[in-house]
Amino acid sequence: MFCCIVNEALGYTHEEALDSSYVVLLSLLREHAFMVNRRNKLLYGDPGHVPDGDCREVVDFTTGKPRRVKKVRAF
């Protein structure tokens, strides 16, 4: 998948992608992750936004104050 991403972004072949600089590859992966995260926020909404019914209050051990935490279903 990585080679396909580099091919789409830069037009590199698989051999050219694997021979390129580590910094270039790392920046490409960061840019791809940014674009995917932005697309997912537009499609599915912001994951940081929690409706009132889907969270619980728990005590924060460092401050001792109650804190709202997103409710997670355990399998």
Side-chain angles (χ1 to χ4, degrees):
M1 173 143 175
F2 170 74
C3 290
C4 294
I5 293 169
V6 173
N7 186 4
E8 289 177 10
L10 298 177
Y12 285 1
T13 63
H14 298 316
E15 293 84 18
E16 291 173 333
L18 296 175
D19 287 338
S20 61
S21 170
Y22 177 74
V23 174
V24 172
L25 298 178
L26 190 61
S27 63
L28 274 172
L29 286 176
R30 286 183 181 161
E31 182 68 22
H32 181 261
F34 173 78
M35 297 298 289
V36 169
N37 287 338
R38 189 169 75 175
R39 180 202 64 196
N40 289 341
K41 283 182 184 178
L42 289 173
L43 288 176
Y44 305 114
D46 189 11
H49 175 68
V50 179
D52 290 335
D54 291 351
C55 58
R56 301 278 185 219
E57 285 191 11
V58 295
V59 176
D60 188 3
F61 293 114
T62 57
T63 62
K65 297 179 181 178
R67 186 175 79 149
R68 293 177 63 95
V69 177
K70 182 178 178 182
K71 184 174 142 181
V72 179
R73 181 180 155 189
F75 293 100

